[in-house]
Amino acid sequence: MRASTVDLVADTARAAAARRTMAWTAGGLATAATVAGGWLAPPDAVQGPAQRLMYLHVPAAWVAYAAFAVVLAASGAYLVGGDLRWDRFARAGAEIGVVLTAVAIATGSLWGQLVWGTWWAWDPRLVSTALLLLAYAGYLALRRAVSDRTDARDGDDHRVARPAALVGMAGFLLVPVVHFSVVWWRSLHQQATVFAPQRPPIDARMGLALLLAVAAATLAALCVLLHRVVRLERRLATDPRTRDRVPARVG
């Protein structure tokens, strides 16, 4: 079955079946990643079993970047075309990114305690990641505050969408800062492992487990994104304030 993004966010039985198929596939990949990372891949020679947190920490961080890229792209598309559906994608992407960034910080903190002996260090990667979390938590708070102040329906009103789009796009400037912080400044955090030609490649079994974990996290996040947009549109469709409104466009 061939389905476009628009088809996948439609509130129809066919689209729901496609989303369920994606969810089952994500579950299968997650199971394979758990087996590969927990049993097939060897422990790190220096860090020991604590290194297995990589199979949760790294996918959470990478997919959070992708979620914030969705906010950037969807916000830009909204500002160009004025279609409020893109604003709903941006909101859902920010929600996913905030959760995954919090997971990355929590697992990184645990990893740091096991390896460095401390839960927190004023490290460039840690500080910049915390700022990224605060930026997009602020983005979601802004949407809520504007909605409450103006009695606008979040996801169906340009009074919320316009300022949110600008903040969402500006927040993405922190993503390259987080990613390259270990290169630009002295850092305790491990530098790039997979994309680092000057360093020996990681064990193939570790690489396979990490690849499976990233694929599972990416597909799972996509499923959540689509489900969240469908839920937002279903809620808007049944709200008496928006049910009979003809969507305006930015002109």
Side-chain angles (χ1 to χ4, degrees):
M1 179 179 68
R2 183 178 179 182
S4 66
T5 301
V6 175
D7 294 328
L8 289 174
V9 295
D11 195 6
T12 64
R14 182 179 180 184
R19 292 192 295 270
R20 284 194 298 271
T21 299
M22 292 174 59
W24 280 107
T25 303
L29 288 170
T31 301
T34 300
V35 172
W39 289 279
L40 298 182
D44 185 78
V46 176
Q47 301 180 32
Q51 172 270 334
R52 298 191 191 279
L53 283 167
M54 175 181 74
Y55 306 121
L56 180 58
H57 175 74
V58 173
W62 285 5
V63 180
Y65 292 167
F68 295 138
V70 169
V71 179
L72 174 68
S75 297
Y78 162 73
L79 289 174
V80 170
D83 188 344
L84 283 164
R85 168 167 279 193
W86 289 117
D87 177 59
R88 295 190 280 274
F89 271 98
R91 173 181 167 179
E95 292 169 344
I96 294 168
V98 164
V99 171
L100 289 177
T101 303
V103 170
I105 291 175
T107 54
S109 180
L110 176 59
W111 196 351
Q113 170 61 24
L114 295 174
V115 176
W116 301 339
T118 181
W119 293 99
W120 177 264
W122 292 101
D123 178 85
R125 171 61 65 82
L126 301 183
V127 173
S128 57
T129 303
L131 291 175
L132 181 65
L133 176 62
L134 291 175
Y136 280 97
Y139 165 89
L140 294 174
L142 172 68
R143 298 185 68 101
R144 180 65 179 268
V146 174
S147 177
D148 289 345
R149 191 186 70 221
T150 62
D151 197 31
R153 187 67 169 162
D154 190 357
D156 193 58
D157 199 300
H158 297 294
R159 290 175 293 177
V160 177
R162 288 192 192 99
L166 295 174
V167 172
M169 295 180 72
F172 192 80
L173 294 174
L174 284 169
V175 171
V177 173
V178 173
H179 185 71
F180 292 108
S181 59
V182 295
V183 177
W184 294 341
W185 300 288
R186 294 182 60 184
S187 174
L188 292 171
H189 195 280
Q190 179 175 311
Q191 294 194 5
T193 299
V194 178
F195 301 107
Q198 74 278 13
R199 300 179 58 183
I202 64 175
D203 185 280
R205 292 165 293 178
M206 290 183 178
L208 175 62
L210 182 59
L211 179 63
L212 288 170
V214 170
T218 301
L219 193 56
L222 178 59
C223 291
V224 174
L225 177 73
L226 297 172
H227 177 74
R228 182 61 176 148
V229 172
V230 171
R231 290 291 300 272
L232 287 171
E233 295 190 342
R234 187 181 299 164
R235 185 183 305 169
L236 290 169
T238 58
D239 189 279
R241 291 178 295 174
T242 58
R243 191 175 345 186
D244 302 321
R245 182 187 305 171
V246 177
R249 298 180 66 87
V250 173

